[in-house]
Protein backbone atom coordinates (compact mmCIF):
# COMPACT_ATOMS: atom_id res chain seq x y z
CA UNK A 1 0.00 0.00 0.00
CA UNK A 2 2.84 2.38 0.85
CA UNK A 3 4.36 1.94 -2.63
CA UNK A 4 1.04 2.82 -4.27
CA UNK A 5 0.67 5.88 -2.03
CA UNK A 6 4.17 7.07 -2.94
CA UNK A 7 3.31 6.72 -6.62
CA UNK A 8 0.15 8.76 -6.09
CA UNK A 9 2.08 11.43 -4.20
CA UNK A 10 4.74 11.54 -6.92
CA UNK A 11 2.17 11.74 -9.71
CA UNK A 12 0.32 14.50 -7.88
CA UNK A 13 3.50 16.52 -7.43
CA UNK A 14 4.45 16.12 -11.08
CA UNK A 15 0.92 17.23 -12.02
CA UNK A 16 1.36 20.35 -9.87
CA UNK A 17 4.71 21.15 -11.54
CA UNK A 18 3.01 20.80 -14.92
CA UNK A 19 0.06 22.94 -13.80
CA UNK A 20 2.37 25.74 -12.69
CA UNK A 21 4.47 25.64 -15.85
CA UNK A 22 1.38 25.51 -18.06
CA UNK A 23 -0.03 28.55 -16.23
CA UNK A 24 3.21 30.37 -17.10
CA UNK A 25 2.89 29.38 -20.76
CA UNK A 26 5.68 26.77 -20.79
CA UNK A 27 4.15 23.27 -20.45
CA UNK A 28 6.37 20.24 -20.01
CA UNK A 29 6.05 16.64 -21.16
CA UNK A 30 6.29 13.09 -19.84
CA UNK A 31 9.02 10.83 -21.25
CA UNK A 32 11.09 7.82 -20.11
CA UNK A 33 9.56 7.63 -16.64
CA UNK A 34 9.97 11.35 -15.99
CA UNK A 35 8.25 14.69 -16.30
CA UNK A 36 10.65 17.08 -18.00
CA UNK A 37 10.61 20.78 -18.84
CA UNK A 38 13.91 22.45 -19.71
CA UNK A 39 12.38 25.72 -20.89
CA UNK A 40 10.75 27.11 -17.80
CA UNK A 41 12.06 29.75 -15.39
CA UNK A 42 9.50 29.25 -12.62
CA UNK A 43 11.38 29.69 -9.31
CA UNK A 44 11.58 26.69 -6.96
CA UNK A 45 10.32 24.20 -9.57
CA UNK A 46 12.47 21.38 -11.01
CA UNK A 47 13.26 20.74 -14.64
CA UNK A 48 12.87 16.99 -14.31
CA UNK A 49 10.80 14.87 -11.93
CA UNK A 50 11.10 11.09 -11.94
CA UNK A 51 7.61 9.58 -11.86
CA UNK A 52 8.71 5.94 -11.93
CA UNK A 53 11.32 4.19 -9.78
CA UNK A 54 14.46 2.88 -11.41
CA UNK A 55 15.04 5.67 -13.94
CA UNK A 56 18.68 5.32 -14.95
CA UNK A 57 21.18 8.18 -14.65
CA UNK A 58 21.83 7.80 -18.37
CA UNK A 59 18.14 8.30 -19.17
CA UNK A 60 17.81 11.35 -16.91
CA UNK A 61 21.01 12.96 -18.14
CA UNK A 62 19.99 12.23 -21.72
CA UNK A 63 16.70 14.06 -21.24
CA UNK A 64 18.52 16.98 -19.64
CA UNK A 65 20.97 17.27 -22.53
CA UNK A 66 18.27 17.28 -25.20
CA UNK A 67 18.49 20.21 -27.59
CA UNK A 68 16.28 22.92 -26.20
CA UNK A 69 16.52 26.45 -24.90
CA UNK A 70 17.45 26.71 -21.25
CA UNK A 71 15.51 29.37 -19.42
CA UNK A 72 18.03 29.72 -16.59
CA UNK A 73 21.51 28.64 -15.58
CA UNK A 74 20.59 25.86 -13.18
CA UNK A 75 19.01 22.48 -13.76
CA UNK A 76 17.15 20.94 -10.83
CA UNK A 77 16.00 17.31 -10.67
CA UNK A 78 13.47 15.85 -8.24
CA UNK A 79 14.60 12.28 -7.62
CA UNK A 80 11.20 11.13 -6.39
CA UNK A 81 12.27 7.68 -5.22
CA UNK A 82 15.74 8.65 -3.93
CA UNK A 83 17.27 6.04 -6.23
CA UNK A 84 19.00 8.19 -8.85
CA UNK A 85 22.71 9.07 -8.69
CA UNK A 86 23.44 12.10 -10.87
CA UNK A 87 26.85 12.94 -9.42
CA UNK A 88 28.57 11.83 -12.64
CA UNK A 89 26.67 14.57 -14.46
CA UNK A 90 27.94 17.33 -12.19
CA UNK A 91 24.94 17.31 -9.88
CA UNK A 92 24.95 17.42 -6.09
CA UNK A 93 22.14 16.84 -3.60
CA UNK A 94 20.47 20.12 -2.64
CA UNK A 95 18.23 18.57 0.00
CA UNK A 96 16.35 15.44 1.05
CA UNK A 97 12.71 15.35 2.12
CA UNK A 98 9.95 12.89 3.00
CA UNK A 99 6.77 12.04 1.13
CA UNK A 100 3.76 12.22 3.44
CA UNK A 101 0.19 10.93 3.45
CA UNK A 102 -2.91 11.68 5.53
CA UNK A 103 -5.97 9.45 5.03
CA UNK A 104 -9.18 11.11 3.97
CA UNK A 105 -10.97 9.33 6.80
CA UNK A 106 -8.94 11.19 9.43
CA UNK A 107 -10.73 13.89 11.40
CA UNK A 108 -9.83 17.52 10.93
CA UNK A 109 -7.13 18.59 13.40
CA UNK A 110 -8.01 21.07 16.09
CA UNK A 111 -6.83 24.56 15.15
CA UNK A 112 -4.98 25.85 18.21
CA UNK A 113 -4.60 29.45 17.09
CA UNK A 114 -6.78 32.48 16.46
CA UNK A 115 -6.42 32.03 12.70
CA UNK A 116 -9.53 31.60 10.56
CA UNK A 117 -8.94 29.55 7.40
CA UNK A 118 -10.95 29.59 4.18
CA UNK A 119 -10.63 28.96 0.45
CA UNK A 120 -9.66 31.95 -1.73
CA UNK A 121 -11.47 32.31 -5.04
CA UNK A 122 -10.90 35.78 -6.55
CA UNK A 123 -7.93 37.39 -8.33
CA UNK A 124 -7.69 40.01 -5.57
CA UNK A 125 -7.53 37.29 -2.91
CA UNK A 126 -4.90 35.42 -4.93
CA UNK A 127 -2.82 38.60 -5.21
CA UNK A 128 -2.99 39.07 -1.43
CA UNK A 129 -2.05 35.40 -0.97
CA UNK A 130 0.98 35.87 -3.25
CA UNK A 131 2.20 38.89 -1.31
CA UNK A 132 1.91 37.04 1.98
CA UNK A 133 3.55 33.90 0.54
CA UNK A 134 6.53 35.92 -0.73
CA UNK A 135 6.55 38.34 2.21
CA UNK A 136 6.90 41.03 -0.45
CA UNK A 137 4.87 43.37 -2.62
CA UNK A 138 6.84 42.20 -5.69
CA UNK A 139 5.31 38.73 -6.05
CA UNK A 140 2.74 39.62 -8.72
CA UNK A 141 2.42 36.88 -11.32
CA UNK A 142 4.19 34.13 -9.39
CA UNK A 143 0.88 32.24 -9.31
CA UNK A 144 -1.09 33.24 -12.45
CA UNK A 145 -4.83 33.88 -12.18
CA UNK A 146 -5.52 30.99 -14.55
CA UNK A 147 -4.77 28.64 -11.64
CA UNK A 148 -8.09 29.72 -10.13
CA UNK A 149 -9.77 27.78 -12.95
CA UNK A 150 -7.50 24.73 -12.59
CA UNK A 151 -8.00 21.73 -10.26
CA UNK A 152 -6.26 23.81 -7.60
CA UNK A 153 -7.35 25.52 -4.39
CA UNK A 154 -5.63 28.38 -2.60
CA UNK A 155 -6.18 28.31 1.17
CA UNK A 156 -5.69 31.35 3.38
CA UNK A 157 -5.29 31.75 7.11
CA UNK A 158 -6.46 35.09 8.53
CA UNK A 159 -5.64 36.74 11.85
CA UNK A 160 -7.62 39.88 12.69
CA UNK A 161 -8.82 39.86 9.05
CA UNK A 162 -5.22 39.97 7.74
CA UNK A 163 -3.94 37.10 5.61
CA UNK A 164 -0.93 35.70 7.47
CA UNK A 165 -0.72 32.07 6.33
CA UNK A 166 -1.66 29.89 3.39
CA UNK A 167 -1.24 26.76 1.32
CA UNK A 168 -1.96 25.32 -2.13
CA UNK A 169 -3.99 22.17 -2.74
CA UNK A 170 -3.94 20.48 -6.15
CA UNK A 171 -6.11 17.56 -7.18
CA UNK A 172 -5.03 14.57 -9.27
CA UNK A 173 -6.37 11.04 -9.42
CA UNK A 174 -7.79 10.11 -6.02
CA UNK A 175 -5.62 12.43 -3.90
CA UNK A 176 -5.05 16.09 -3.15
CA UNK A 177 -1.55 17.47 -2.73
CA UNK A 178 -0.79 20.06 -0.08
CA UNK A 179 2.17 22.33 -0.78
CA UNK A 180 3.49 25.87 -0.39
CA UNK A 181 2.40 25.89 3.24
CA UNK A 182 3.53 29.14 4.86
CA UNK A 183 2.85 31.16 7.97
CA UNK A 184 4.53 32.79 10.96
CA UNK A 185 7.79 30.98 11.74
CA UNK A 186 6.86 30.52 15.37
CA UNK A 187 3.47 29.00 14.48
CA UNK A 188 4.38 26.17 12.11
CA UNK A 189 2.30 23.60 13.99
CA UNK A 190 -0.73 25.90 14.15
CA UNK A 191 -0.39 26.73 10.45
CA UNK A 192 -0.40 23.04 9.50
CA UNK A 193 -3.38 22.38 11.72
CA UNK A 194 -5.27 25.25 10.08
CA UNK A 195 -4.34 24.28 6.52
CA UNK A 196 -5.26 20.62 7.03
CA UNK A 197 -8.49 21.51 8.81
CA UNK A 198 -9.48 23.80 5.93
CA UNK A 199 -8.60 21.13 3.38
CA UNK A 200 -10.65 18.48 5.21
CA UNK A 201 -13.59 20.87 5.06
CA UNK A 202 -13.12 21.75 1.38
CA UNK A 203 -12.27 18.23 0.18
CA UNK A 204 -13.90 15.82 2.63
CA UNK A 205 -12.81 12.20 2.41
CA UNK A 206 -9.90 12.82 0.01
CA UNK A 207 -6.46 11.51 0.94
CA UNK A 208 -3.82 14.23 1.36
CA UNK A 209 -0.27 13.79 0.02
CA UNK A 210 2.81 15.95 -0.32
CA UNK A 211 6.40 16.16 0.85
CA UNK A 212 8.12 18.16 3.57
CA UNK A 213 11.29 18.39 5.65
CA UNK A 214 12.46 20.00 8.87
CA UNK A 215 9.95 21.76 11.09
CA UNK A 216 7.23 21.50 8.45
CA UNK A 217 7.61 17.72 8.34
CA UNK A 218 7.43 17.54 12.13
CA UNK A 219 4.23 19.63 12.09
CA UNK A 220 2.67 17.49 9.35
CA UNK A 221 3.40 14.30 11.30
CA UNK A 222 2.05 15.90 14.48
CA UNK A 223 -1.29 16.49 12.76
CA UNK A 224 -1.94 13.04 11.34
CA UNK A 225 0.36 12.65 8.34
CA UNK A 226 2.55 9.56 7.98
CA UNK A 227 5.94 9.28 6.25
CA UNK A 228 6.03 7.28 3.03
CA UNK A 229 9.61 7.43 1.78
CA UNK A 230 12.41 9.77 0.86
CA UNK A 231 13.04 11.95 -2.15
CA UNK A 232 16.05 14.02 -3.15
CA UNK A 233 16.48 17.20 -5.13
CA UNK A 234 19.65 17.46 -7.20
CA UNK A 235 21.12 20.68 -8.58
CA UNK A 236 23.57 21.26 -11.43
CA UNK A 237 25.18 24.40 -12.77
CA UNK A 238 24.82 24.95 -16.49
CA UNK A 239 27.81 24.10 -18.66
CA UNK A 240 30.35 26.90 -18.72
CA UNK A 241 29.36 28.46 -15.42
Amino acid sequence: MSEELIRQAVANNAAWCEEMCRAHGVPGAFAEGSWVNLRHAVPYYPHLVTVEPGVSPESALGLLSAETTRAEGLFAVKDSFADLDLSAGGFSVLFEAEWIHRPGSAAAPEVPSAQVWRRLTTPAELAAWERSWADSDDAEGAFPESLLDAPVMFLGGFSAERLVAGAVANFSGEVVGLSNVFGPAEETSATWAGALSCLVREAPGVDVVGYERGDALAAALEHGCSPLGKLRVWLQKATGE
Side-chain angles (χ1 to χ4, degrees), residues 50-184:
T50 59
V51 295
E52 296 287 343
V55 172
S56 69
E58 294 76 16
S59 174
L61 293 173
L63 289 169
L64 291 171
S65 64
E67 286 193 24
T68 187
T69 301
R70 296 189 187 196
E72 55 185 40
L74 297 175
F75 272 161
V77 172
K78 185 171 290 173
D79 174 11
S80 300
F81 300 89
D83 63 354
L84 183 63
D85 185 354
L86 295 178
S87 54
F91 286 78
S92 60
V93 176
L94 180 64
F95 66 81
E96 291 189 346
E98 186 83 24
W99 293 109
I100 56 174
H101 165 256
R102 191 176 195 271
S105 57
E110 182 178 348
V111 182
S113 75
Q115 290 180 13
V116 175
W117 282 77
R118 63 178 175 84
R119 180 180 180 180
L120 310 179
T121 59
T122 70
E125 289 177 328
L126 175 57
W129 187 98
E130 279 187 338
R131 290 192 294 271
S132 187
W133 168 82
D135 194 21
S136 168
D137 289 333
D138 299 324
E140 184 177 357
F143 293 83
E145 289 181 14
S146 61
L147 289 170
L148 293 171
D149 298 319
V152 172
M153 293 193 303
F154 289 88
L155 312 178
F158 294 79
S159 178
E161 299 186 0
R162 185 171 68 91
L163 199 156
V164 297
V168 174
N170 74 291
F171 293 82
S172 70
E174 299 177 352
V175 299
V176 57
L178 189 64
S179 64
N180 292 276
V181 181
F182 68 89

Side-chain angles (χ1 to χ4, degrees), residues 102-109 196 200 205-207 223-225:
R102 191 176 195 271
S105 57
L196 285 167
V200 169
V206 181
D207 282 19
H223 294 297
C225 296

